[in-house]
Amino acid sequence: MHQHHVDVAPGIRLWVEERGSAAAPPLLLIMGAQASGLGWPDELVDALAEHHRVIRYDHRDTGRSSWAYEERPYAITDLADDALAVLDALDVRRAHVVGMSLGGMLAQLLLADHPDRLLSATLIGTSTLSTAPYVHPDGTTTPPEELPGIDPRILDMWANRPTDLDPGQELEWRTEHWRMLNGDGIPFDAEAARAMERRITEHTGHTRISMAHGRADHSGMLRTDELARNEVPTLVVSGPAEPVFPPPHAEHLAQVIRGASLVEVPGMGHALPRQVLEPLARAILAHTGA
């Protein structure tokens, strides 16, 4: 395991970790909004590292990377450029990319704008950057903006997030947040969620929160035509208990990305509890190995 920092833009330094053989095919993990790279469980990273040089990193305004949004505001598309900059800093010409939630949207931007840098893409718990409608099994269609939305309980948590919590209260808020993101398909393990958040807090060095990714400019992200022309092998992971991008978002994603395949991980929501790690690793490795 090798940890270091890389400079990706003026005044922006990202924490990066590598696991696995340096000679193995590179695999870049891209986490979701406001999420440290430690959001990828070690058990999953280690399973992937048996076959890959696995690279994970902290986005700007998370973990040990630069917290500089107030001085240097940015767009979400800049976070996709950061992912490329990480590969450049490590002299990686092409990589398998696995993105979750916002990370899945950033992976779509890479698919569309830099397909020559990708060996494959895996998209988890995310929605499409396409205006193409969802086609139901009976042939009827639904515009993407009319597909099921985020669980109202999660929206309420986000809208009413306290900013004056002590570290213990902050830990409990984050644990309850994971309870909601876990969905109803798998029993929620509160102590495992607390342990993960304690590791992230120790890694970060504080419990402050940044809303930078929510405030960042979200414009210019649609890639309808580019995704329809996609030639990069793409896997879409479907979580039947997904509360942020509920079914059929994954099915829609597999429709609008040319050549994409779909795999369901039983019970999966918008989180990575222990029960999903083995089937998820198996699906990713089958995809990258193909």
Side-chain angles (χ1 to χ4, degrees), residues 27-30 87 95-99 107 110 117-118 120-123:
L27 186 152
L28 179 69
L29 297 172
I30 309 178
L87 296 180
H96 300 280
V97 172
V98 179
L110 298 180
R117 301 297 302 274
L118 271 60
S120 76
T122 300
L123 312 176

Side-chain angles (χ1 to χ4, degrees), residues 87-134:
L87 296 180
D88 290 341
L90 302 183
D91 294 321
V92 173
R93 176 64 195 143
R94 298 182 73 196
H96 300 280
V97 172
V98 179
M100 180 160 184
S101 195
L102 174 65
M105 297 178 189
L106 301 180
Q108 290 177 70
L109 292 175
L110 298 180
L111 273 179
D113 300 345
H114 302 280
D116 57 313
R117 301 297 302 274
L118 271 60
L119 294 167
S120 76
T122 300
L123 312 176
I124 307 166
T126 193
S127 67
T128 178
L129 303 183
S130 171
T131 59
Y134 169 63

Side-chain angles (χ1 to χ4, degrees), residues 219-230:
S219 65
M221 291 177 64
L222 286 175
R223 296 292 188 275
T224 305
D225 294 340
E226 294 87 345
L227 295 175
R229 294 194 300 264
N230 172 62

Side-chain angles (χ1 to χ4, degrees), residues 50-249:
E50 291 182 16
H51 302 272
H52 290 284
R53 174 190 178 188
V54 178
I55 303 159
R56 62 176 170 174
Y57 67 100
D58 290 341
H59 291 297
R60 306 180 189 201
D61 295 285
T62 76
R64 295 182 182 174
S65 293
S66 298
W67 290 52
Y69 183 80
E70 301 303 331
E71 298 80 37
R72 296 179 179 84
Y74 49 85
I76 293 297
T77 51
D78 291 325
L79 298 181
D81 293 338
D82 286 353
L84 277 188
V86 168
L87 296 180
D88 290 341
L90 302 183
D91 294 321
V92 173
R93 176 64 195 143
R94 298 182 73 196
H96 300 280
V97 172
V98 179
M100 180 160 184
S101 195
L102 174 65
M105 297 178 189
L106 301 180
Q108 290 177 70
L109 292 175
L110 298 180
L111 273 179
D113 300 345
H114 302 280
D116 57 313
R117 301 297 302 274
L118 271 60
L119 294 167
S120 76
T122 300
L123 312 176
I124 307 166
T126 193
S127 67
T128 178
L129 303 183
S130 171
T131 59
Y134 169 63
V135 182
H136 296 264
D138 64 3
T140 59
T141 61
T142 299
E145 63 272 16
E146 294 180 16
L147 292 177
I150 300 170
D151 186 320
R153 297 172 297 175
I154 294 174
L155 289 175
D156 183 65
M157 287 195 78
W158 292 349
N160 297 295
R161 197 196 201 299
T163 56
D164 57 350
L165 302 179
D166 65 35
Q169 292 169 326
E170 175 67 23
L171 177 61
E172 289 312 306
W173 189 95
R174 295 183 186 188
T175 300
E176 191 58 30
H177 186 228
W178 282 118
R179 185 189 302 278
M180 293 290 104
L181 294 178
N182 185 77
D184 301 324
I186 290 171
F188 178 63
D189 185 340
E191 200 42 57
R194 286 189 192 95
M196 180 185 71
E197 285 297 339
R198 288 190 188 103
R199 284 195 301 275
I200 290 172
T201 295
E202 182 179 3
H203 168 77
T204 304
H206 58 79
T207 59
R208 296 197 309 274
I209 57 169
S210 168
M211 306 309 291
H213 296 170
R215 296 167 57 197
D217 180 2
H218 284 63
S219 65
M221 291 177 64
L222 286 175
R223 296 292 188 275
T224 305
D225 294 340
E226 294 87 345
L227 295 175
R229 294 194 300 264
N230 172 62
E231 294 185 354
V232 176
T234 301
L235 176 68
V236 178
V237 175
S238 171
E242 170 67 59
V244 176
F245 299 111
H249 279 275

